[in-house]
């Protein structure tokens, strides 16, 4: 930042011109910030962060005359050019020149050219500001501007500052509001909705309210059967901008439909029209547009047409159609139909057209172009994490659309990967890239709720209901305990409105089996090292190895040893218990409900909040039905049944202070409580913390629980609290920066036998053991995804003795996170 701030910003400002450095706005003789008014100022200074115009400096790194400069260099250095061609060949030398040009283009295109003062744009800005205030009821607003020139002797820079002076005056109010509506039909509809009008006597005149009222009326009329109505038929008159009492009357004028008959413009009364005929073309293609449709089917008043035999069950198509025979015309039905037909993900094109039969009847035509029934895709990726040091993965997917003629989507996926694991995670004798993982999944998505009884009265087709059936399996070799996992679930989801979504999984069954239990102490080497310390201190003759560590505990760590060293006894017993928890196989049959709510209107909306709540219960039904037990624990197929409740809450709030900045706050709370058949949460269902979307100053599984610094490779807990604050800002056209603070931790609230006092969350006092990380990041926007790099620094470390602040806040102990898209 110091280097940038010392650079000359006027490098490409023509001589005698001035760099625009600042815009100020004075409203009624007070310096105020009116963000909406500032949008009407055409010429704005180069964007900056902390007072430094990074985009401008980035632009200045480039050479705007790079073509001529390169040609001049070649001409002035013929010997060097000949030498390069002799060493690298002519083609490679030319490529060097092209690289030089590309580098300059990158700086110039990615940066922001200097904003040079243009007084004509200042004049135009005052006109736009005057219009803005006029449209908001200040008809007599006075606006002018002053320019202040400044010369920086130190940097030899000529800059300019513009101050816009705005005197709004007194706003005009709406007085009487009358209406003149030619059509009796429209007038009767208007009377019903008049109380919802956005124009009310006594309100300040605002142009936007007139536009909103016109949109409101258009929407009402076109959803009340008036097919031929358009917004141009609405007008507002008798607005007096010169009234001395700052009040103006308004006349709302709505005309009838105008038509042309043999060159003569005529008025035609508008009428409510019904849709009496609906035709659906299910396999339209441009190549066959002139061919006759061979198959015609009539179903519930709809006509289905296809070039070949009809491939879709008519009922499945109608589940996404909201235009009904005999109903009045509605824009909303047309929009819903288009949206829901696209949600089927079976059609690449959806067109809906209307044809007038007579003054009271319409015919609707729905044209569908299907996607390919079968499709195959492949993908490859490079893997890097704190566990998988380097790896390569590949995947293969097969999709069958409209599998059973009801617009279902069947998907079969296979994925395989090989990688080199981190030290001490697998068998230390394994060769590089000897670890691998294979997985296979099969799913079928059905565009309705599949249930024994009819759920339409509760979840109707407007809510876009969907059912997903899935089964899958994965196998690991030479990573951790080499888990073998089988999953099966049924997922119901529906969206009552654009902000809300519900998801229920009445069945989510997991079977987790550890295939490599005898390698436990190779993998969790820190626990083995603790046993070595005990063995060397008290049992130096015992031949302790990773293979007989459990036998050592069984042979030597008894009641007599407890009398000798209670702390060492407890530590060894904790290791034994932890081994039991992590190596135990589980059947996890859970029921899950999730609720999400977002106020985001579209992807351009940068000021909204998102809320998600999820609750899951596991093992209740299967435990009640099980008649088999092992050591007092109920089992299924000799595998313990996990019984617990798990609840997550997440809240994310986005603010948009300026066009180029976003402030994001995120809070997450997660609680998991075992009961009944289980004393502990299964390892795979426990909470962990750290990583690129969590507390970024710590690696995944590295932190916690509580104030404990266990040194274990995998740290988990049953309570997780985390909060993040991130400030995002633009640096160049495609490059963005971020400053962030992350805080939180995991704790134990299950009274586990292996928990130490620092692990537990006992009261709000335990929050002092929250870790804090801070840092900065860079994000490069490729339009279709964002490449992200964040550097996290350990700011507050709860496991340290004495001073916990900024003890390892340096680049040596920093954690670099690389990810795709934003962390939240």
């Amino acid at each position: 930042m110091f280097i940038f701030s010392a650079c000359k910003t006027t490098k490409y400002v023509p001589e005698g011109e001035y760099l625009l450095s600042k815009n100020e706005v004075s409203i009624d003789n007070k310096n105020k910030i009116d963000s909406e008014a500032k949008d009407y100022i055409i010429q704005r200074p180069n964007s900056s962060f902390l007072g430094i115009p990074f985009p401008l400096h980035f632009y200045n790194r480039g050479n705007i005359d790079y073509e001529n400069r390169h040609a001049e260099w070649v001409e002035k250095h013929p010997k060097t050019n000949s030498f390069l061609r002799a060493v690298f060949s002519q083609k490679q030398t030319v490529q060097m020149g092209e690289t030089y040009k590309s580098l300059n283009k990158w700086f110039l295109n990615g940066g922001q050219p200097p904003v040079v003062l243009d007084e004509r744009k200042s004049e135009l800005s005052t006109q736009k500001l005057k219009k803005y205030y006029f449209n908001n009821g200040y008809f007599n607003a006075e606006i002018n501007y002053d320019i202040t020139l400044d010369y920086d002797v130190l940097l030899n820079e000529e800059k300019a500052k513009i101050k816009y002076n705005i005197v709004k005056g007194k706003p005009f109010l709406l007085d009487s509001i009358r209406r003149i509506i030619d059509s009796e039909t429209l007038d009767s509809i208007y009377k019903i909705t008049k109380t919802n009008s956005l124009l009310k006597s006594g309100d300040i005149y605002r142009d936007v309210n007139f536009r909103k009222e016109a949109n409101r009326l258009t929407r009402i009329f076109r959803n009340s059967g008036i097919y031929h109505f358009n917004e141009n038929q609405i007008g507002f008159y008798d607005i007096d901008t010169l009234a001395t009492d700052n009040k103006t009357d308004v006349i709302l004028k709505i005309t009838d439909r105008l038509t042309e008959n043999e060159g003569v413009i005529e008025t035609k009364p508008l009428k409510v029209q019904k849709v009496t005929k609906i035709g659906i073309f299910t396999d339209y293609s441009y190549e066959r547009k002139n061919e006759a449709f061979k198959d015609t089917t009539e179903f519930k008043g709809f006509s289905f047409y296809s070039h070949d035999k009809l491939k879709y069950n008519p009922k499945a198509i109608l589940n996404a159609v909201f235009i009904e025979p005999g109903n009045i015309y509605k824009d909303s039905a047309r929009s819903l139909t288009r949206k829901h037909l696209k949600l089927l993900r079976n059609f690449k094109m959806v067109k809906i057209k209307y044809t007038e039969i007579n003054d009271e009847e319409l015919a609707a035509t729905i044209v569908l172009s299907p996607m390919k029934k079968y499709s195959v895709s492949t993908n490859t990726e490079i893997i890097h994490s704190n566990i998988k040091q380097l790896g390569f993965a590949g995947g293969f997917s097969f999709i069958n659309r409209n599998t059973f003629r009801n617009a279902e989507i069947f998907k079969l996926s296979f994925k395989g990967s090989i990688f080199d694991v981190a030290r001490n995670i697998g068998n230390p004798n394994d060769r590089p890239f000897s670890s691998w993982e294979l997985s296979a999944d099969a799913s079928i998505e059905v565009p309705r709720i599949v249930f024994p009884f009819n759920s339409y009265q509760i979840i109707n087709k407007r809510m876009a209901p969907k059912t997903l059936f899935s089964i899958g399996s994965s196998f690991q070799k030479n990573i951790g305990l080499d888990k073998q996992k089988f999953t099966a679930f049924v997922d119901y989801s529906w969206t009552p409105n654009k902000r809300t979504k519900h998801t229920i999984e009445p069945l989510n069954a997991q079977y987790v089996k550890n295939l490599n239990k005898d390698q436990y102490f190779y993998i969790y080497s820190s626990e083995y090292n603790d046993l070595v310390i005990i063995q060397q201190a008290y049992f130096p003759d015992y031949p302790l190895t990773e293979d007989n560590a459990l036998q050592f505990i069984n042979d030597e760590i008894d009641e007599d040893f407890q009398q000798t060293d209670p702390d060492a006894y407890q530590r060894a017993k904790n290791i034994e218990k932890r081994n039991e928890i992590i190596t135990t196989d589980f059947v996890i049959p859970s029921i899950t409900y999730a609720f999400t709510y977002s106020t985001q209107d579209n992807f351009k909306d940068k000021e909204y909040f998102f809320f998600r709540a999820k609750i899951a219960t596991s093992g209740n039904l299967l435990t009640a039905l099980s008649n088999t037990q092992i050591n007092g624990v109920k089992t299924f197929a000799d595998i313990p049944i996990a019984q617990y409740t798990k609840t997550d809450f997440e809240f994310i709030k986005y603010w948009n202070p300026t066009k180029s900045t976003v402030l994001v706050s995120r809070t997450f709370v997660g609680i998991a409580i075992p009961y009944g058949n289980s004393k502990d949460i299964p390892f795979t269902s426990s909470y962990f913390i750290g990583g690129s979307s969590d507390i970024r100053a710590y690696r995944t599984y590295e932190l916690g629980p509580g104030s404990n610094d266990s040194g274990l490779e995998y740290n988990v807990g049953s309570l997780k609290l985390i909060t993040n604050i991130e400030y995002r800002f633009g640096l160049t056209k495609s490059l963005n920066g971020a400053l962030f603070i992350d805080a939180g931790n995991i704790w134990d609230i299950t009274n586990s036998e292996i928990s130490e006092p620092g692990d537990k969350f006992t009261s709000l006092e335990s929050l002092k053991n929250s870790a804090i990380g801070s840092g900065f990041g860079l994000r490069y926007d490729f339009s279709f995804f964002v490449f992200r790099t964040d550097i996290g620094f350990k700011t507050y470390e709860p496991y340290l003795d004495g001073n916990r602040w900024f003890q390892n806040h340096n680049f040596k102990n920093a954690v670099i996170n690389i990810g795709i898209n934003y962390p939240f």
Side-chain angles (χ1 to χ4, degrees):
M1 289 184 180
F2 175 78
I3 293 172
F4 270 130
S5 63
C7 291
K8 187 177 177 67
T9 56
T10 57
K11 178 179 178 179
Y12 290 125
V13 176
E15 189 175 349
E17 309 248 4
Y18 296 87
L19 178 72
L20 180 61
S21 62
K22 189 175 183 181
N23 281 334
E24 289 184 354
V25 177
S26 172
I27 302 177
D28 294 332
N29 297 318
K30 294 180 181 179
N31 290 333
K32 293 183 177 180
I33 298 176
D34 186 336
S35 57
E36 190 172 352
K38 278 193 172 183
D39 290 342
Y40 292 88
I41 298 177
I42 298 172
Q43 195 173 36
R44 305 173 195 174
N46 293 95
S47 55
S48 64
F49 176 68
L50 298 178
I52 302 174
F54 286 102
L56 174 58
H57 285 301
F58 197 82
Y59 180 88
N60 286 342
R61 295 299 93 193
N63 192 322
I64 60 177
D65 197 29
Y66 59 84
E67 292 275 5
N68 293 332
R69 287 291 297 274
H70 180 258
E72 289 174 6
W73 184 91
V74 172
E75 186 177 341
K76 289 180 179 180
H77 303 83
K79 291 184 179 179
T80 305
N81 192 48
S82 298
F83 173 77
L84 291 173
R85 292 193 177 195
V87 175
F88 295 104
S89 81
Q90 181 177 352
K91 182 178 180 181
Q92 289 175 326
T93 306
V94 171
Q95 187 59 45
M96 289 180 191
E98 292 301 319
T99 301
Y100 166 77
K101 295 176 183 179
S102 298
L103 181 62
N104 280 281
K105 284 183 180 179
W106 183 63
F107 280 120
L108 296 173
N109 293 334
Q112 192 179 80
V115 178
V116 179
L117 175 66
D118 186 343
E119 198 164 348
R120 293 172 302 174
K121 292 182 179 179
S122 300
E123 289 283 356
L124 187 56
S125 294
T126 60
Q127 295 173 22
K128 286 187 170 291
L129 284 169
K130 190 171 182 65
K131 184 176 181 180
Y132 163 74
Y133 282 104
F134 183 95
N135 289 337
N136 281 275
Y138 297 95
F139 297 155
N140 300 318
E142 296 181 3
I143 301 171
N144 56 56
Y145 65 91
D146 297 319
I147 298 176
T148 303
L149 303 180
D150 180 41
Y151 177 70
D152 190 322
V153 178
L154 183 64
L155 296 176
N156 189 27
E157 294 179 336
E158 293 180 323
K159 299 180 180 180
K161 180 175 68 175
I162 302 178
K163 183 175 184 179
Y164 292 90
N165 303 298
I166 302 170
V167 179
K168 295 188 297 185
K170 190 177 180 181
F172 274 65
L173 307 178
L174 300 182
D175 200 2
S176 66
I177 301 172
R178 296 185 296 126
R179 71 178 187 275
I180 301 175
I181 302 177
D182 294 344
S183 168
E184 292 183 5
T185 302
L186 295 185
D187 190 55
S188 62
I189 296 172
Y190 177 84
K191 289 178 181 177
I192 298 172
T193 64
K194 180 182 177 181
T195 55
N196 297 324
S197 175
L198 299 172
L199 303 177
K200 299 183 183 300
S201 297
D203 285 355
I204 296 177
Y205 173 98
R206 297 189 189 280
D207 183 71
V208 65
N209 287 340
F210 286 85
R211 294 197 301 270
K212 288 181 178 180
E213 177 68 2
N215 290 335
R216 184 186 76 88
L217 292 174
T218 302
R219 187 168 57 253
I220 289 171
F221 293 147
R222 290 189 61 83
N223 283 307
S224 300
I226 314 300
Y227 171 69
H228 287 289
F229 187 84
N230 64 72
E231 195 171 320
N232 293 334
Q233 294 170 241
I234 300 175
F236 299 97
Y237 304 96
D238 272 15
I239 298 172
D240 186 0
T241 63
L242 301 176
T244 57
D245 60 353
N246 286 65
K247 292 183 179 180
T248 178
D249 296 331
V250 176
I251 294 177
L252 167 64
K253 172 70 173 175
I254 303 178
T255 63
D256 248 328
R257 175 188 176 194
L258 297 179
T259 60
E260 185 177 348
N261 184 15
E262 297 181 357
V264 178
I265 303 297
E266 299 178 343
T267 298
K268 191 171 184 179
L270 289 167
K271 294 183 179 181
V272 174
Q273 292 180 291
K274 291 185 177 181
V275 180
T276 56
K277 293 183 179 180
I278 304 175
I280 302 176
F281 298 81
T282 60
D283 61 353
Y284 172 84
S285 66
Y286 182 81
E287 294 79 11
R288 304 180 69 180
K289 64 178 181 177
N290 296 321
E291 294 183 16
F293 290 94
K294 300 176 182 178
D295 192 0
T296 303
T297 301
E298 298 293 328
F299 183 77
K300 293 187 176 180
F302 294 83
S303 299
F304 290 82
Y305 304 93
S306 57
H307 288 294
D308 302 313
K309 183 177 176 61
L310 184 63
K311 295 182 175 64
Y312 293 90
N313 184 337
K315 186 177 180 180
I317 298 294
L318 294 185
N319 280 336
V321 174
F322 297 85
I323 305 168
E324 299 284 347
N327 285 0
I328 62 173
Y329 170 83
K330 290 184 178 181
D331 265 357
S332 58
R334 185 183 201 173
S335 300
L336 275 173
T337 299
R338 183 185 294 108
K339 173 186 173 183
H340 284 251
L341 284 171
K342 287 183 177 180
L343 286 175
L344 293 178
R345 295 193 293 142
N346 271 253
F347 305 105
K348 60 185 176 183
M349 186 198 75
V350 177
K351 282 188 176 180
I352 303 175
K353 300 181 292 185
Y354 287 88
T355 306
E356 192 171 38
I357 300 173
N358 53 53
D359 289 349
E360 297 180 351
E361 294 182 302
L362 296 171
T365 302
I366 302 173
V367 181
L368 306 174
S369 291
M371 295 180 179
K372 290 182 179 179
K373 180 173 177 60
Y374 304 107
S375 64
V376 175
S377 63
T378 59
N379 66 80
T380 58
E381 59 183 300
I382 297 176
I383 303 168
H384 171 71
S385 70
N386 58 314
I387 296 173
K388 301 175 182 178
Q389 294 291 284
L390 179 64
F392 304 91
F396 166 86
S397 296
F398 165 77
I399 291 179
N400 177 3
R401 295 181 178 84
N402 194 35
T403 310
F404 303 115
R405 296 184 66 244
N406 289 291
E408 305 93 346
I409 297 177
F410 172 77
K411 185 176 182 180
L412 182 65
S413 301
F414 298 93
K415 184 177 180 180
S417 59
I418 59 170
F419 38 84
D420 188 19
V421 297
R423 182 174 61 87
N424 294 333
I425 297 300
N427 192 321
N429 298 318
D430 287 336
R431 299 185 303 275
F433 295 101
S434 61
S435 301
W436 52 266
E437 188 170 7
L438 290 175
S439 64
D441 297 277
S443 65
I444 186 161
E445 182 181 303
V446 183
R448 65 182 186 281
I449 298 296
V450 180
F451 212 65
F453 61 83
N454 188 355
S455 62
Y456 182 80
Q457 297 297 328
I458 304 172
I459 306 172
N460 60 55
K461 66 180 184 179
R462 286 178 177 267
M463 300 181 184
K466 183 174 64 177
T467 303
L468 180 65
F469 300 94
S470 178
I471 58 171
S473 180
S474 64
F475 301 85
Q476 293 178 345
K477 181 64 177 176
N478 295 337
I479 177 171
L481 298 178
D482 291 351
K483 287 188 181 350
Q484 178 181 2
K485 191 175 181 180
F486 294 94
T487 60
F489 67 85
V490 179
D491 181 294
Y492 298 124
S493 64
W494 65 96
T495 54
N497 52 64
K498 68 177 183 178
R499 299 188 185 279
T500 306
K501 183 177 181 180
H502 300 273
T503 303
I504 292 179
E505 292 180 358
L507 171 66
N508 187 329
Q510 298 182 44
Y511 165 62
V512 181
K513 184 176 183 181
N514 297 290
L515 305 176
N516 200 16
K517 298 179 183 180
D518 58 346
Q519 295 293 308
Y520 180 87
F521 287 101
Y522 288 101
I523 298 164
Y524 298 94
S525 56
S526 57
E527 298 192 14
Y528 175 71
N529 293 336
D530 283 347
L531 291 179
V532 169
I533 293 172
I534 297 173
Q535 176 260 332
Q536 290 178 346
Y538 296 101
F539 310 98
D541 296 330
Y542 195 98
L544 177 64
T545 66
E546 288 90 342
D547 295 321
N548 67 2
L550 286 177
Q551 188 62 43
F552 166 72
I553 296 173
N554 187 60
D555 291 343
E556 305 293 348
I557 310 301
D558 53 20
E559 293 181 358
D560 292 336
F561 179 69
Q562 185 179 14
Q563 299 297 321
T564 303
D565 190 336
D567 290 338
Y569 171 86
Q570 189 60 47
R571 191 158 63 250
K573 285 298 183 180
N574 284 351
I575 291 172
E576 182 181 38
K577 181 63 177 177
R578 180 175 167 82
N579 172 276
E580 178 187 341
I581 292 173
I582 293 180
T583 60
T584 299
D585 301 328
F586 275 104
V587 174
I588 309 175
S590 64
I591 299 174
T592 303
Y593 167 74
F595 169 81
T596 60
Y597 183 85
S598 174
T599 60
Q600 186 177 28
D601 291 323
N602 54 62
F603 72 95
K604 293 182 179 180
D605 189 1
K606 294 181 180 179
E607 191 152 335
Y608 64 97
F609 73 82
F610 169 87
F611 174 75
R612 181 180 66 89
K614 182 178 179 181
I615 183 169
T617 62
S618 172
N620 295 336
L621 180 61
L622 196 58
T623 300
L625 297 176
S626 175
N627 293 318
T628 59
Q629 293 187 10
I630 298 178
N631 296 325
V633 177
K634 289 191 175 183
T635 62
F636 175 79
D638 295 332
I639 304 296
I641 303 168
Q643 193 172 15
Y644 62 88
T645 296
K646 186 177 181 180
T647 305
D648 300 341
F649 299 96
E650 184 176 31
F651 180 82
I652 305 175
K653 173 64 177 166
Y654 296 80
W655 292 271
N656 189 203
T658 68
K659 280 192 173 182
S660 60
T661 62
V662 175
L663 180 64
V664 188
S665 171
R666 173 200 184 211
T667 300
F668 176 90
V669 180
I671 303 172
I673 302 174
Y675 60 90
N677 202 54
S678 299
K679 294 182 179 180
D680 299 284
I681 304 296
F683 180 81
T684 56
S685 300
S686 298
Y687 292 106
F688 62 89
I689 202 163
S692 63
S693 299
D694 213 290
I695 297 186
R696 284 160 280 187
Y698 294 86
R699 294 180 176 86
T700 307
Y701 287 106
E702 181 183 6
L703 179 62
S707 61
N708 185 22
D709 184 14
S710 66
L712 299 175
E713 286 76 14
Y714 299 92
N715 294 290
V716 294
S718 51
L719 169 67
K720 180 175 180 178
L721 300 174
I722 186 169
T723 184
N724 312 81
I725 297 177
E726 182 168 292
Y727 180 70
R728 302 167 184 169
F729 51 90
L731 292 175
T732 69
K733 188 179 296 183
S734 299
L735 185 65
N736 299 305
L739 300 174
F740 59 83
I741 298 175
D742 306 323
N745 209 332
I746 52 173
W747 290 267
D748 175 65
I749 58 171
T750 64
N751 293 319
S752 172
E753 296 177 11
I754 64 171
S755 294
E756 298 180 13
D759 299 353
K760 298 179 181 298
F761 189 94
T762 56
S763 66
L764 293 179
E765 185 72 14
S766 299
L767 291 176
K768 70 180 182 181
N769 292 327
S770 297
I772 300 176
S774 57
F776 61 90
L778 295 174
R779 291 83 192 278
Y780 196 87
D781 191 348
F782 287 94
S783 297
F784 52 95
F785 74 93
V786 174
F787 179 80
R788 171 171 57 92
T789 300
D790 291 326
I791 301 179
F793 300 92
K794 295 175 176 63
T795 306
Y796 179 85
E797 300 170 79
Y799 43 81
L800 295 181
D801 295 327
N803 186 11
R804 300 176 173 184
W805 288 96
F806 302 105
Q807 296 303 297
N808 294 291
H809 194 274
N810 49 54
F811 280 97
K812 179 182 178 181
N813 295 289
V815 174
I816 300 176
N817 299 276
I818 296 175
I820 300 298
N821 295 329
Y822 292 102
F824 40 81

